[in-house]
Amino acid sequence: NLYSIDAYRSQRFKETDRPSMKQVIVRKEDMSSRLEGKRNGDDQINIKQKLQELNNEINMQQTVIHQTSQALNCCIDEDHGRGSQEEAEAERLLLIATEKRAALLEELNKLKNKRPQSKKIKADSTISRVSPSKGSVTLSEMRLPLKADFICNIQKADTANYYYIIMLKSGAENMVATPLASTTNSLCGDALSFSTTFTLQNVSSDFEINIEVYNLIQKKEFIGVDKKKKSTKSKAITPKRLLTSITTKTNLLAPAMTSPDGPNSVRTSNFSLVGSHTILLSSVGSTKFLLDKVPFLSPLEGHIYLNVKCQIDSCVEERGFLTMFEDVSGFGAWHRRWCALSGNCISYWTYPDDEKRKHPLGFINLANCTNRQIEPANREFCARHNTFELITVRPQREDDKETLVSQCKDTLCVTKNWLSADTKDERNLWMQKLNQVLIDLRIWQPDACYVPIGKP
C-alpha cells in the first residue's frame, strides 16, 4: 500500500499524541492523592510532636515545683533563711512553675479534644477570606500605686517585708513574670515601679493578655533583750528541744491537703492574687487600668499604670504597571503608571527607573480609603477591563474643585481612583494585597482610618 507524505505525517502525529494525553491525566490524579495523604500524615506527626513537647514541659515544671518546695521546707527559722529575700525568690519560682503547669495542662487537654476535628477545621479555613496579620504587643513602664496611709505606716514601723510580682498570661506559650519588687527597694514615690519590658510575639488581633498582681507578706520576728540573753546560753540538746524539733519536722513533712500543683508536690506558693486586668487591642492608647479582685484591706490603690504598644508583623509589597484614570482639563484620560505598594501607600511614577531617582508623581494613602473591601469597578460606570476602584477621603482645601475623579462634600474631598491592570490575574493579585493592608490597618490601627462606606 502506498501513502502520501501528508497522510504519513498526520498518522504519526495522532499515534504520539494520544498516549501523552493519558499520561498527563493520570499524573494529576496521582499527585493530588499523594499530596492529600502526605498532608494528613504531616498533621498527625505535628500533633504527636506537640503533645510530646507539652508533656516534656509539664514534667520540667513539676521538677521545679518539687525542688522549690524542698528548698522552702528547709526555711524553718531565721538561721535557715526564713524571712529572707531568698525565701521570697523561691516562693516566686514556685508560683511561676505552678501557673505554667496549670496552663500547659489546659493546653494539652484542648489539643487532645481538637484532634478529631482537625480535618474539618482545615477544610473550612481554605474557604475563608483575607484574615488579619499577626503582630507583637509590648508592655512597659509598669507602676503599681500604693495607698498613702500604708506608705506612712511602713516608714514608721518596719514590721514586715512586702513583695509584689506581676504575671502576664497569654496562653501556655506566652507567660512571663516580673522580678520581685519590694516596698524597701522598688518604691518610687507612692508606687512600685517595674523596669522590665515584655514583648509578646506572633499574637493575633483578638489577643487577650491577663495581668495578675501577686503579693507576699513576710512578717519579721523581733527578738527581745531576754531572748537575746537566753540565746547566748548553751545550745545543748535537751529532751524538750528534741521533742519540739521532732514535732516540727513531722508537721512539715505531713501532707496537709492535696495540692493542684501535682501528685508529687509538697506545698503551694504563699503568694496570693491581689488584682487582675485583661489587656485587649482596644486598650492601646490607655495608660491607666482598673484592677479586679482587689481585697478591701489591700495596700493597692486599685489600678495599674503601663504602656501598651502594638506592631503589625505584615510587610505587604507589590510593584507593577497600572493604568490610572485621571482628569485632564475636564476630559478623562488613562495614563500608564509604574505603581509601588509599600506600607500604607501606593506611590506611582512614569517609568520603573524613576522609583529610585525621582519623587513620585503622586500617592494614594490607604488609611484614607473608605471602601469596605477593594472590588472590581462597576461596568456601568467604567467599561475598561480589569479595573478596580479605590475611594479615598481627605479634608477639603480652599483650591479644591470638582472634577471627573473628585467631588467636594461638606468639609471633605472624595476622590474616586480607577486603576486598571493588564490581566485579570494581576488585578486579583493587587486587590488581594490591598485588602490585606486595609484589614490590618482597620483592626490594628482603627483610630488612623476613616470609617468605611458601603455595605458591611
Side-chain angles (χ1 to χ4, degrees):
N1 296 328
L2 297 175
Y3 295 91
S4 65
I5 294 176
D6 292 337
Y8 174 75
R9 285 177 178 173
S10 61
Q11 186 177 6
R12 187 181 63 175
F13 177 75
K14 290 180 180 177
E15 290 176 357
T16 57
D17 184 53
R18 285 175 183 172
S20 64
M21 290 295 292
K22 290 182 180 178
Q23 289 178 1
V24 171
I25 294 172
V26 171
R27 281 179 185 174
K28 284 185 178 179
E29 291 176 357
D30 289 341
M31 285 300 292
S32 61
S33 60
R34 287 177 186 175
L35 284 173
E36 287 179 1
K38 194 173 182 181
R39 285 173 184 171
N40 293 333
D42 291 342
D43 289 343
Q44 293 178 357
I45 293 172
N46 291 335
I47 291 173
K48 289 181 180 179
Q49 185 178 359
K50 185 66 175 176
L51 288 172
Q52 185 63 38
E53 291 175 357
L54 288 173
N55 283 319
N56 293 338
E57 186 67 24
I58 289 170
N59 293 332
M60 187 183 299
Q61 298 304 325
Q62 182 63 50
T63 304
V64 175
I65 292 172
H66 185 66
Q67 291 176 350
T68 51
S69 296
Q70 287 182 331
L72 288 169
N73 283 336
C74 296
C75 300
I76 54 177
D77 53 22
E78 289 186 1
D79 295 335
H80 294 83
R82 185 161 188 171
S84 63
Q85 187 172 354
E86 288 77 10
E87 183 189 23
E89 184 62 36
E91 294 280 3
R92 172 183 172 272
L93 294 175
L94 180 59
L95 174 68
I96 296 171
T98 303
E99 295 296 322
K100 278 189 177 180
R101 184 178 179 276
L104 289 167
L105 284 172
E106 185 179 355
E107 186 72 18
L108 186 68
N109 293 330
K110 285 182 180 179
L111 191 60
K112 287 180 179 178
N113 295 332
K114 283 185 179 180
R115 287 178 70 180
Q117 301 175 356
S118 59
K119 294 181 180 179
K120 293 181 181 180
I121 293 171
K122 192 169 185 180
D124 295 339
S125 62
T126 57
I127 306 172
S128 60
R129 293 185 178 182
V130 179
S131 58
S133 301
K134 292 192 175 182
S136 60
V137 184
T138 302
L139 307 180
S140 61
E141 299 180 12
M142 289 178 282
R143 291 187 300 114
L144 205 58
L146 303 177
K147 294 177 181 177
D149 55 351
F150 170 76
I151 296 174
C152 294
N153 290 333
I154 61 173
Q155 290 176 350
K156 291 178 181 178
D158 189 13
T159 58
N161 295 326
Y162 293 85
Y163 293 98
Y164 288 88
I165 64 171
I166 298 176
M167 289 194 69
L168 306 176
K169 299 179 181 179
S170 180
E173 298 179 354
N174 292 322
M175 184 179 296
V176 288
T178 64
L180 286 174
S182 65
T183 52
T184 55
N185 300 328
S186 305
L187 197 60
C188 182
D190 62 345
L192 291 171
S193 61
F194 300 83
S195 58
T196 315
T197 299
F198 294 109
T199 301
L200 301 178
Q201 303 284 353
N202 199 31
V203 294
S204 56
S205 58
D206 57 347
F207 67 87
E208 291 185 1
I209 303 176
N210 295 319
I211 299 178
E212 296 180 351
V213 182
Y214 290 88
N215 170 234
L216 173 67
I217 302 175
Q218 288 181 339
K219 293 184 179 180
K220 296 182 179 179
E221 297 180 1
F222 290 95
I223 302 174
V225 179
D226 296 336
K227 290 186 178 181
K228 284 184 180 179
K229 290 180 180 179
K230 288 181 180 180
S231 63
T232 57
K233 293 181 180 180
S234 174
K235 295 185 178 180
I237 298 176
T238 62
K240 186 177 180 180
R241 289 178 181 174
L242 181 62
L243 182 62
T244 54
S245 64
I246 292 173
T247 54
T248 53
K249 285 182 180 179
T250 53
N251 288 334
L252 285 169
L253 294 173
M257 56 181 293
T258 57
S259 173
D261 303 340
N264 300 322
S265 65
V266 180
R267 59 190 293 169
T268 57
S269 177
N270 286 326
F271 270 97
S272 57
L273 181 65
V274 292
S276 64
H277 185 84
T278 302
I279 296 292
L280 306 173
L281 183 60
S282 57
S283 306
V284 178
S286 302
T287 56
K288 182 179 179 180
F289 303 96
L290 185 66
L291 291 175
D292 300 325
K293 304 177 183 177
V294 179
F296 179 71
L297 298 177
S298 173
L300 300 179
E301 279 282 359
H303 53 269
I304 185 173
Y305 291 97
L306 57 92
N307 289 338
V308 186
K309 292 183 179 179
C310 294
Q311 186 174 357
I312 314 173
D313 295 340
S314 173
C315 51
V316 180
E317 290 188 353
E318 181 61 25
R319 282 172 172 79
F321 278 106
L322 292 174
T323 307
M324 305 180 65
F325 182 78
E326 297 176 349
D327 184 295
V328 180
S329 301
F331 295 95
W334 291 90
H335 293 139
R336 191 168 174 81
R337 306 296 187 194
W338 174 258
C339 299
L341 170 63
S342 179
N344 304 334
C345 289
I346 303 175
S347 304
Y348 52 91
W349 296 263
T350 306
Y351 303 107
D353 295 338
D354 295 344
E355 183 178 353
K356 297 180 180 179
R357 297 182 302 173
K358 298 180 181 179
H359 291 290
L361 298 175
F363 63 90
I364 302 172
N365 189 357
L366 295 177
N368 298 337
C369 180
T370 60
N371 300 66
R372 289 215 170 256
Q373 62 179 4
I374 309 302
E375 295 178 341
N378 193 336
R379 295 297 297 273
E380 294 181 4
F381 304 105
C382 178
R384 191 182 182 94
H385 290 283
N386 306 322
T387 303
F388 57 91
E389 184 179 73
L390 270 170
I391 300 176
T392 57
V393 176
R394 61 170 175 80
Q396 187 177 349
R397 303 168 187 161
E398 293 183 359
D399 56 345
D400 281 337
K401 298 179 181 179
E402 292 199 2
T403 63
L404 294 175
V405 296
S406 61
Q407 292 181 351
C408 297
K409 296 181 179 180
D410 298 330
T411 59
L412 298 176
C413 181
V414 181
T415 304
K416 185 180 292 185
N417 303 278
W418 283 342
L419 307 172
S420 177
D422 293 340
T423 63
K424 183 178 179 180
D425 291 337
E426 289 183 10
R427 182 202 68 183
N428 293 338
L429 180 63
W430 275 96
M431 289 195 305
Q432 181 184 0
K433 295 201 172 185
L434 290 172
N435 283 322
Q436 183 69 61
V437 174
L438 285 179
I439 194 171
D440 288 341
L441 272 173
R442 289 167 182 171
I443 287 182
W444 288 94
Q445 301 175 8
D447 296 335
C449 304
Y450 279 93
V451 178
I453 299 173
K455 296 181 180 179

